């Protein structure tokens, strides 16, 4: 019987740690949270110190029972959940839910799942950190107070005008993220491009080699050039074509390029999105797998340190190991005189935590690749290279700047550089392409040297609007503004997409009409909650609770005092705010429109596609006026498709072809007065029914029918059904196969097979035999556009 019980969060970590410990240890997994606030109720007693009411997470009863039984038979219980606030809170919830003996309880933490780290943690147990638990509890209570009190108000206010009738939600952090996306979109919409021109001169030396180079127009009469039209450029070119070009200054120097710090959560998500095209959630899922343990030739080991961190701190032993590896592979010249230290951005970053790094740099990407999936291998290599580069010397460049005077007033400038020492660039390039550091060389020019003008190269440009956010850049913006924390970034950017407020187009986040409406209404009614600075200050207060510098109750009382006032005011103001937001930017004459079909008034509504005017007589009258472009309303085109020769047997109306996802059926055109429907039958099944006799009684013709498994025939005399395959008339259509150069999301095998089956296109891996729908494959690659690019 085991003497000690170790409780972790995930089954993967359970399997890894079980192999490190002997028979005296039993390892159990809580499988995440075991207690939470109730789903259907607020679960917070506001009047009695904001006391939360916790319930067992559905489905976790058996896990708690097993932990309680194991704990009763053990001498010591080690709570080994993740080393952050969330992990501390889970450890406390497990102890409370399973009613564990406090005298036996010990808390241990480790930032890498290796045998040495686990054994060191067991030798240094501590008690539960109530400050961390209170900080996590305060965050949970704050989010519940905001979400569960604003969301119902928002849903009721907007739902009447929202065509899809889905419930809406608001959140303390998600709504701020939505506001950033919406405001960026508004900046883009309001942007007016301005024309400007640049000018380069191609010059040649009067030497035997006749070296050529280019210089750009840098100053006109000492001022920055502002050329805003072709006419201005055309007036300038004749003057310069006759001018004498003379070198007035040659300045040589050196420039260092320092490596970036090792990854923290936000920078890992950003770089994985930029270089690997992974979503934030996908990056964190893969990082979790690398952290919890991978089987390497019979040994299960965690490959990276804990992946939810805002600290760039690195353990001295990890730096020492990295220096040994660097000296071994590239020599002492690539080592700085002492290990570098990087300053964390977050004011209250926990320096006891570490940056994200490999648990051993001697586990190279090449050595572990056979044991990883393709996605795991790519992410591990990114982390490994970034960490190793952070411990190396900067790159060194020789620079050269040349000023060239044309006439008396026009100063041209040329710059060049050459790489003197690669430094960290031998292992990691921060640029998207490896050749970004290609040197731009200039000839050895001398002051006073006259040059020949070969040609002038004018180029027209237009100012560009700010780019839309992508997942990585939105996370970077949230971090820069102090909104959210490492454990929440992936959830924030995912939830605004799941709610239908934001969609991803070519890896860019674009707000929907619904998202813009929700944002406008919340900004109007809950100014504090939607304020970036206010939300950041709340994060700082949570950090202070974790550090023991602020009391849980004092913080929540201060917050709720202002929030309660906003909540009461919003109840009276919300409907008017929705009306104003809906009509914002629309011409006034639209308010007077009536339905051209039936004369009833039109009401303004919104769907995922945008705003529209719909007839108040719906469903009897289904007229709509599309307002996606407010200044160019579009009448709907007739889209009804009638089945030839099909008449409703109840009222004599024509039968329309109705498509609802995979279902196709016939419906009467007089709906809702006549609700007659029947299956849609192909011409092939009708023909087969007319030509085929019943194999049992010989009756002919048979009845064509359609069911959940496709079309079939039925004998009206003996009441027997026959599939087409049973009649020898052909069954399922054989899937067509096409080879596409896409890696399998499961095992990384390339290429995959694209097939067309009963429900449309899908992808099959010939190695692991897994099938992926077109939607799942597009999500893996970052969108349907990315999928089409890969296929082509």
């Amino acid at each position: 019987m085991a003497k000690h019980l170790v409780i972790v969060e995930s089954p993967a970590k359970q399997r890894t740690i079980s192999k490190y410990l002997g028979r005296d240890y039993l390892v159990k997994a809580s499988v995440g949270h075991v207690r939470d606030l109730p789903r259907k109720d607020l679960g917070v007693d506001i009047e009695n110190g904001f006391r939360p009411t916790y319930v067992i997470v559905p489905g976790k009863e058996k896990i708690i029972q097993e932990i309680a039984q194991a704990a009763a038979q053990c001498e010591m219980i080690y709570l080994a959940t993740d080393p952050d606030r969330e992990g501390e809170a889970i450890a406390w919830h497990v102890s409370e839910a399973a009613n564990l003996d406090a005298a036996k309880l010990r808390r241990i933490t480790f930032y890498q799942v290796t045998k040495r780290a686990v054994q060191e943690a067991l030798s240094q147990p501590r008690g539960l950190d109530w400050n961390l638990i209170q900080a996590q509890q305060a965050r949970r209570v704050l989010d519940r107070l905001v979400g569960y009190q604003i969301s119902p108000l928002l849903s009721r206010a907007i739902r009447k005008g929202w065509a899809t009738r889905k419930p809406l939600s608001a959140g303390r952090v998600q709504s701020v993220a939505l506001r950033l996306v919406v405001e960026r979109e508004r900046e883009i919409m309001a942007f007016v491009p301005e024309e400007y021109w640049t000018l380069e001169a191609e010059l040649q030396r009067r030497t035997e080699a006749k070296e050529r180079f280019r210089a750009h127009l840098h100053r006109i009469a000492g001022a920055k050039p502002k050329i805003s039209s072709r006419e201005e450029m055309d007036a300038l070119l004749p003057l310069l074509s006759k001018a004498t070009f003379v070198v007035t200054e040659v300045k040589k120097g050196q420039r260092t390029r320092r490596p970036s710090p090792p990854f923290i959560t936000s920078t890992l998500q950003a770089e994985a999105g930029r270089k690997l095209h992974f979503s934030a959630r996908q990056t964190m899922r893969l990082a979790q797998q690398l952290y919890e343990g991978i089987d390497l030739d019979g040994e299960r080991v965690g490959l990276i340190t804990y992946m939810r961190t805002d600290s760039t701190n690195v353990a001295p032993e990890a730096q020492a190991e990295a220096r040994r590896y660097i000296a071994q592979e590239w020599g002492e010249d690539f080592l700085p005189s002492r290990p570098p230290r990087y300053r964390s951005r977050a004011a209250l970053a926990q320096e006891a935590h570490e940056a994200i790094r490999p648990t051993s740099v001697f586990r190279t990407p090449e050595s572990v690749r056979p044991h990883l999936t393709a996605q795991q291998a790519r992410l591990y290599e990114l982390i490994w290279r970034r960490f190793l580069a952070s411990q190396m010397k900067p790159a060194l460049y020789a620079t050269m700047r040349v000023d060239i005077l044309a006439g008396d007033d026009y100063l041209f400038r040329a710059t060049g550089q050459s790489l003197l020492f690669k430094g960290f660039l031998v292992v990691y390039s921060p640029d998207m392409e490896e050749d970004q550091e290609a040197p731009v060389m200039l000839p050895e020019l001398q002051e006073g040297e006259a040059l020949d003008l070969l040609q002038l190269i004018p180029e027209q440009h237009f100012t560009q609007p700010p780019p839309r956010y992508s997942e990585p850049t939105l996370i970077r913006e949230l971090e820069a503004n102090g909104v959210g924390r490492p454990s929440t970034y992936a959830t924030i950017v995912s939830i605004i997409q799941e709610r239908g407020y934001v969609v991803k187009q070519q890896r860019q986040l674009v707000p929907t009409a619904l998202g813009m409406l929700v944002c406008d209404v919340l900004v109007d009614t809950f100014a504090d909650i939607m304020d970036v600075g206010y939300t950041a200050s709340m994060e700082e207060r949570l950090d202070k609770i974790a550090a023991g510098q602020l009391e849980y109750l004092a913080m929540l009382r201060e917050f709720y005092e202002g929030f309660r006032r906003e909540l009461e005011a919003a109840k009276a103001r919300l409907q008017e705010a929705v009306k104003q937001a809906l009509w914002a930017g629309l011409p006034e004459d639209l308010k007077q429109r009536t339905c051209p079909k039936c004369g009833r008034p039109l009401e303004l509504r919104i769907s995922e596609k945008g705003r529209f005017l719909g007839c108040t007589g719906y469903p009897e009258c289904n007229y709509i006026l599309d307002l996606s472009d407010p200044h160019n309303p579009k009448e709907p085109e007739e889209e009804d498709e009638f089945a030839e020769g099909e008449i409703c047997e109840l009222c004599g109306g024509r039968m329309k072809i109705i498509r609802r996802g995979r279902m196709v059926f016939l419906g009467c055109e007089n709906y809702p007065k006549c609700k007659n429907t029947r299956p849609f039958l192909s011409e092939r099944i009708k023909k087969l029914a007319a030509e085929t006799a019943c194999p049992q009684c010989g009756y002919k013709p048979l009845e064509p029918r359609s069911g959940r498994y496709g079309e079939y025939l039925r004998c009206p005399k003996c009441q027997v059904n026959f599939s087409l395959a049973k009649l020898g008339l052909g069954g399922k259509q054989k899937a067509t196969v096409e080879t596409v150069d896409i890696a399998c999301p499961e095992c990384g095998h390339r290429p995959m097979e694209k097939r067309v089956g009963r429900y449309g296109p899908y992808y099959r891996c010939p190695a692991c035999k897994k099938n992926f729908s077109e939607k799942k494959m597009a999500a893996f690659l970052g969108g349907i556009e990315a999928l089409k690019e890969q296929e082509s």
Side-chain angles (χ1 to χ4, degrees):
M1 184 65 64
K3 295 181 180 179
H4 308 292
L5 174 64
V6 179
I7 301 172
V8 297
E9 287 181 59
S10 73
K13 196 191 291 187
Q14 176 189 6
R15 290 191 295 271
T16 303
I17 293 176
S18 294
K19 295 189 176 182
Y20 297 157
L21 304 175
R23 294 182 179 179
D24 288 343
Y25 290 87
L26 174 65
V27 185
K28 288 284 186 179
S30 70
V31 194
H33 281 275
V34 296
R35 293 199 313 174
D36 198 4
L37 298 173
R39 287 189 178 182
K40 294 185 179 180
D41 302 317
L42 182 64
V44 179
D45 189 346
I46 297 170
E47 303 303 324
N48 291 303
F50 299 92
R51 186 168 55 199
T53 300
Y54 293 110
V55 297
I56 303 299
V57 174
K60 294 295 181 72
E61 294 84 359
K62 186 177 179 182
I63 292 172
I64 293 171
Q65 185 181 0
E66 290 177 356
I67 290 174
Q69 290 174 351
Q73 301 174 20
C74 291
E75 298 176 4
M76 195 66 68
I77 305 165
Y78 294 99
L79 301 169
T81 47
D82 286 345
D84 56 11
R85 297 176 201 171
E86 204 77 16
E88 202 78 17
I90 290 174
W92 175 65
H93 283 302
V94 169
S95 67
E96 291 289 307
N99 196 25
L100 301 181
D101 186 350
K104 295 182 181 181
L105 285 180
R106 299 291 185 274
R107 173 75 167 122
I108 61 172
T109 57
F110 39 85
Y111 297 93
Q112 50 187 314
V113 186
T114 61
K115 187 172 184 178
R116 178 182 173 184
V118 172
Q119 290 175 341
E120 285 182 356
L122 285 168
S123 68
Q124 301 171 2
R126 60 170 173 83
L128 285 167
D129 188 329
W130 189 243
N131 290 330
L132 293 180
I133 296 169
Q134 289 281 60
Q136 191 277 339
Q137 187 167 261
R139 175 185 290 279
R140 192 74 188 92
V141 168
L142 273 177
D143 291 342
R144 179 56 66 97
L145 290 173
V146 172
Y148 269 50
Q149 294 189 84
I150 294 181
S151 296
L153 297 178
L154 187 68
S155 236
R156 286 194 294 270
I158 294 181
R159 190 180 292 185
K160 182 183 178 183
W162 187 22
T164 54
R165 307 286 184 185
K166 288 166 60 179
L168 302 175
S169 73
R172 185 179 61 85
V173 180
Q174 77 176 58
S175 297
V176 173
L178 173 63
R179 181 176 186 175
L180 291 173
V181 175
V182 169
E183 288 183 347
R184 176 60 58 87
E185 191 69 18
R186 292 247 164 86
E187 287 180 48
I188 294 169
M189 293 166 64
F191 182 82
V192 178
E194 295 181 3
E195 181 183 7
Y196 71 98
W197 289 72
T198 58
L199 180 63
E200 284 192 334
E202 186 175 8
L203 303 168
Q204 179 177 281
R205 297 186 74 193
R206 297 174 180 177
T207 60
E208 187 175 346
K210 294 185 177 180
E211 302 105 311
R212 297 182 178 187
F213 66 97
R214 287 190 179 187
H216 67 273
L217 181 59
H218 182 60
R219 289 285 187 271
I220 299 178
K224 187 176 179 180
K226 293 182 180 180
I227 307 170
S228 55
S229 67
R230 179 178 293 276
E231 290 73 21
E232 291 179 22
M233 180 59 73
D234 287 345
L236 181 62
L237 293 178
L239 299 174
L240 290 171
S241 62
K242 299 174 183 178
T244 302
F245 287 76
V246 179
V247 176
T248 57
E249 184 182 10
V250 178
K251 187 174 182 178
K252 294 183 179 181
Q254 289 187 347
R255 177 178 73 90
T256 58
R257 182 176 186 180
R258 300 187 180 280
S260 299
F263 284 129
I264 58 175
T265 303
S266 60
T267 55
L268 175 63
Q269 291 171 345
E271 198 73 348
R274 192 174 69 97
K275 283 195 168 187
L276 308 181
H277 299 162
F278 290 172
S279 69
R281 180 166 283 182
Q282 183 182 10
T283 298
M284 295 308 288
R285 187 186 73 245
L286 294 169
Q288 182 92 28
Q289 294 164 3
L290 295 173
Y291 164 71
E292 290 179 342
I294 301 292
D295 284 316
L296 303 179
D297 297 326
E299 179 189 11
R300 192 169 182 87
V301 62
L303 294 183
I304 65 170
T305 53
Y306 192 54
M307 62 286 158
R308 294 184 181 92
T309 177
D310 54 7
S311 171
T312 55
N313 189 42
V314 177
E317 56 269 23
Q319 289 187 311
E321 185 188 63
R323 290 173 72 83
R324 288 198 304 274
Y325 184 89
I326 293 165
Q328 174 184 307
E329 291 294 316
W330 294 286
E332 299 283 344
D333 289 344
F334 285 80
L335 284 174
S337 58
R338 56 185 177 182
R341 291 182 62 85
Y342 296 95
R343 181 174 296 178
S344 299
R345 291 183 186 176
L348 291 174
Q350 300 176 58
E351 293 301 329
H353 293 190
E354 278 202 71
I356 304 169
R357 61 167 177 84
T359 53
S360 173
V361 293
F362 286 94
R363 293 191 191 98
T364 63
E366 292 75 20
S367 66
V368 300
R369 185 171 286 114
H371 308 280
L372 305 178
T373 67
Q375 291 179 326
Q376 289 172 341
R378 294 174 71 196
L379 187 64
Y380 179 74
E381 182 171 3
L382 187 70
I383 294 168
W384 185 88
R385 289 184 177 277
R386 172 78 166 236
F387 170 67
L388 209 57
S390 73
Q391 304 303 306
M392 299 177 78
K393 274 186 177 180
L396 183 63
Y397 294 87
T399 62
M400 185 176 181
R401 191 191 76 195
V402 180
D403 285 348
I404 302 154
L405 192 62
D408 295 327
D409 295 326
Y410 304 99
L411 181 67
F412 284 76
R413 176 168 287 178
T415 57
Q417 66 177 18
S418 59
L419 186 61
L420 297 177
F421 176 69
K422 292 197 75 171
F424 75 94
L425 293 175
V426 297
V427 68
Y428 182 82
S429 171
D431 305 295
M432 290 294 289
E433 301 295 339
E434 295 299 324
D435 61 355
Q436 290 291 309
E437 292 299 322
V440 180
M441 304 295 293
L442 289 177
E444 287 294 328
L445 296 160
Q446 305 296 323
E447 291 185 9
E449 181 178 352
L451 303 169
D452 291 332
L453 174 65
L454 297 180
Q455 62 172 329
L456 293 168
I457 307 164
E459 190 170 353
Q460 184 186 39
H461 308 271
F462 291 92
T463 54
Q464 298 296 314
R468 288 190 175 109
Y469 288 113
S470 62
E471 283 193 4
T473 57
L474 179 58
I475 288 170
R476 195 178 300 131
E477 186 71 12
L478 290 170
E479 184 192 37
N481 284 285
V483 176
R485 285 298 179 261
S487 59
T488 63
Y489 293 136
T491 304
I492 292 168
V493 297
S494 297
I495 202 166
I496 58 175
Q497 296 175 67
E498 292 166 3
R499 294 289 185 265
Y501 300 158
V502 170
V503 294
K504 194 185 291 185
Q505 296 178 1
Q506 295 180 334
R507 296 197 292 275
Q508 294 181 324
L509 299 178
V510 182
T512 62
L514 176 64
M516 298 180 88
L517 173 65
V518 167
C519 177
D520 290 346
V521 171
L522 290 176
V523 168
D524 193 343
T525 53
F526 292 94
D528 283 348
I529 294 298
M530 293 297 287
D531 182 74
V532 174
Y534 180 81
T535 305
S537 71
M538 296 304 298
E539 297 287 359
E540 291 174 2
R541 292 174 204 175
L542 291 171
D543 290 342
K544 287 182 178 179
I545 293 175
Q549 300 169 6
L550 184 63
E551 289 186 0
Y552 166 88
L553 188 56
M555 179 266 194
L556 286 174
R557 279 178 175 165
E558 182 184 352
F559 162 77
Y560 201 71
E561 185 178 344
F563 178 64
R564 191 202 296 269
R565 290 195 297 269
E566 281 197 335
L567 199 62
E568 291 302 318
K571 291 176 182 178
R573 165 82 182 128
L574 209 56
Q575 286 288 356
E576 182 61 28
V578 171
K579 185 177 179 181
Q580 287 184 7
L582 270 173
W583 282 101
L586 294 178
E588 283 294 320
D589 64 320
L590 289 176
K591 296 181 179 180
Q592 312 303 322
R593 290 255 191 140
T594 57
C595 178
K597 285 187 175 182
C598 66
R600 295 186 179 98
L602 297 177
E603 65 177 350
L604 185 61
R605 308 185 73 195
I606 191 167
S607 71
E608 285 90 343
K609 295 181 180 179
R611 292 178 289 183
F612 64 93
L613 285 173
C615 182
T616 52
Y618 180 85
E620 287 79 10
C621 178
N622 59 0
Y623 174 81
I624 62 170
L625 183 66
D626 184 4
L627 301 176
S628 299
D629 181 354
H631 300 288
N632 185 27
K634 293 180 181 177
E635 300 282 348
E637 296 179 3
E638 183 64 43
E639 295 181 351
D640 290 342
E641 182 182 355
F642 292 96
E644 187 176 351
E646 296 284 355
I647 302 298
C648 176
E649 59 271 23
L650 298 182
C651 69
R654 295 175 297 171
M655 298 296 283
K656 296 191 295 186
I657 299 174
I658 311 294
R659 291 179 172 84
R660 295 287 185 271
R662 296 175 180 173
M663 295 175 57
V664 182
F665 59 93
L666 297 180
C668 181
E669 68 173 335
N670 294 322
Y671 177 86
K673 291 181 180 179
C674 178
K675 299 181 179 179
N676 182 34
T677 62
R678 61 171 179 261
F680 174 78
L681 300 170
S682 67
E683 293 301 320
R684 177 174 179 252
I685 196 71
K686 293 178 185 177
K687 184 177 180 183
L688 289 173
E691 298 175 351
T692 307
C694 176
Q696 290 196 18
C697 66
Y699 185 84
K700 183 179 180 181
L702 300 180
E703 293 178 355
R705 296 204 171 186
S706 178
R708 64 183 297 187
Y709 300 115
E711 296 180 324
Y712 63 96
L713 298 174
R714 180 178 178 83
C715 177
K717 184 176 180 181
C718 59
Q719 304 294 305
V720 177
N721 298 335
F722 301 97
S723 68
L724 299 187
K726 190 173 182 181
L727 292 171
L729 300 173
K732 285 185 181 179
Q733 183 181 5
K734 190 174 181 181
T736 58
V737 181
E738 173 189 354
T739 300
V740 290
D741 188 24
I742 298 176
C744 172
E746 188 70 26
C747 69
H749 178 82
R750 184 191 293 264
M752 295 186 72
E753 296 173 353
K754 182 177 182 181
R755 302 184 171 204
V756 180
R758 177 178 179 184
Y759 300 124
Y762 68 97
Y763 299 82
R764 182 173 178 81
C765 175
C768 65
K769 310 300 183 185
K770 293 283 183 70
N771 294 336
F772 303 90
S773 68
E774 189 173 53
K775 183 178 179 180
K776 283 187 177 179
M777 188 59 71
F780 162 65
L781 293 172
I784 193 67
E785 294 82 4
L787 175 60
K788 298 306 179 187
E789 287 176 14
Q790 288 264 24
E791 287 185 8
S792 61

